[in-house]
Amino acid sequence: AAVRESKDRVRSALIQSQFEFPRHRVVINLGPADLPKEGGRYDLAIAIGLLVASDQLPQEAIDHYEFIAELTLNGELRGVDGILAGALETPRAKRSLIVAKSNAAEAGITGECNAFYGHNIIQVVQHLMEEQDLQRAPQTEINHKKYSKNMSDVKGQSTARRALEIAAAGRHHLLMIGSPGAGKTMLAERMLSILPDLTTAETTDVARIYSCRGQFSKEQWKKRPFRAPHHTSSAVALVGGGSKPLPGEISLAHHGILFLDELPEFERRVLEVL
């Protein structure tokens, strides 16, 4: 529905921005046809394509650009989810990326993508016509802080700590059994601090998943994820999928820790799916 509604957003955005909207029938090809399309991420690309097709913008002006942004009815650019995946792919295609201002930090976080951001479609067209440059997406400076919960905080628990160290070194699963208050959750939450740092490839893997889920945060860049779903979680919440397929807790814990507190309380079917 959001993709179908883009025709109304694009029409209004172009007219409100003093561009001419073609009076004849317009056909937009969103290929390949077998891939599902959703959201307003295609709005800016469709609008720019219409301007080129109606000779209001020369074809060569867009040859080295990708456009990912939603348009408001008055032509302003709005951010969308999943920008990081596009920012990682555009350098391989030897292209530059144009996004909304709210996506600028995410687009520039890797430092590899030549990304620009604008406030509205008029600024984008002026940039393409070399009349006024868009601002370049900043390469975000991140202070790599230590994990807030560190294993060095734990006093005693030598046997449990040794078990966690072995599990961390060998990437093993770990089952902790003990009475309430024995320190199971406390130890699990601090296991991240004894895992090795993420590599560059692992960092982008994790960031891609959170980006497409709309949960990307620059504070989590190069930090291993820790996911602790509630025991009432469904199989879809844990594994992913649904009518609108999204990553589940397993995927969100990629390269990190999936902690199932009160394990016997989870439904048997959910555990079998896991």
Side-chain angles (χ1 to χ4, degrees), residues 90-233:
T90 46
R92 301 175 189 175
K94 297 181 179 180
R95 290 171 175 261
S96 298
L97 181 64
I98 294 181
V99 299
K101 183 181 179 180
S102 58
N103 286 141
E106 186 174 339
I109 197 167
T110 64
E112 300 175 4
C113 180
N114 188 28
F116 301 89
Y117 69 90
H119 298 278
N120 53 56
I121 191 172
I122 295 176
Q123 292 181 346
V124 174
V125 172
Q126 289 175 338
H127 176 82
L128 296 173
M129 297 294 291
E130 299 182 352
E131 295 175 359
Q132 183 176 344
D133 291 339
L134 290 173
Q135 290 183 286
R136 193 177 297 273
Q139 183 177 353
T140 308
E141 292 292 333
I142 301 174
N143 296 321
H144 299 297
K145 298 179 180 178
K146 294 182 179 180
Y147 293 102
S148 57
K149 297 179 179 180
N150 199 287
M151 190 64 76
S152 61
D153 301 332
V154 181
K155 309 301 179 185
Q157 297 277 18
S158 58
T159 302
R161 289 179 60 174
R162 175 168 168 75
L164 262 69
E165 290 162 6
I166 293 171
R171 306 292 178 95
H172 303 302
H173 299 304
L174 187 65
L175 178 64
M176 292 190 284
I177 301 173
S179 58
K184 301 183 296 297
T185 301
M186 175 193 69
L187 288 163
E189 291 175 339
R190 285 160 174 77
M191 190 173 177
L192 286 177
S193 66
I194 60 174
L195 288 170
D197 293 336
L198 286 171
T199 65
T200 301
E202 289 174 339
T203 299
T204 54
D205 283 347
V206 173
R208 277 176 189 262
I209 295 170
Y210 278 80
S211 178
C212 74
R213 187 68 190 258
Q215 297 180 4
F216 177 80
S217 171
K218 64 181 182 180
E219 285 74 22
Q220 289 297 320
W221 184 252
K222 290 195 174 183
K223 285 188 177 181
R224 293 186 182 275
F226 180 87
R227 305 296 298 186
H230 195 259
H231 57 76
T232 58
S233 298

Side-chain angles (χ1 to χ4, degrees), residues 10 28 30 40-52 62 66-71 121:
V10 170
I28 306 294
L30 296 180
R41 61 190 305 109
Y42 307 100
D43 289 1
L44 180 58
I46 291 173
I48 296 297
L50 280 171
L51 293 177
V52 172
I62 68 169
E66 299 284 347
F67 308 89
I68 307 177
E70 182 181 329
L71 288 174
I121 191 172

Side-chain angles (χ1 to χ4, degrees), residues 32-64:
D34 60 326
L35 291 180
K37 288 88 181 174
E38 62 181 25
R41 61 190 305 109
Y42 307 100
D43 289 1
L44 180 58
I46 291 173
I48 296 297
L50 280 171
L51 293 177
V52 172
S54 58
D55 296 325
Q56 299 178 69
L57 193 63
Q59 170 68 48
E60 57 271 15
I62 68 169
D63 285 343
H64 302 290

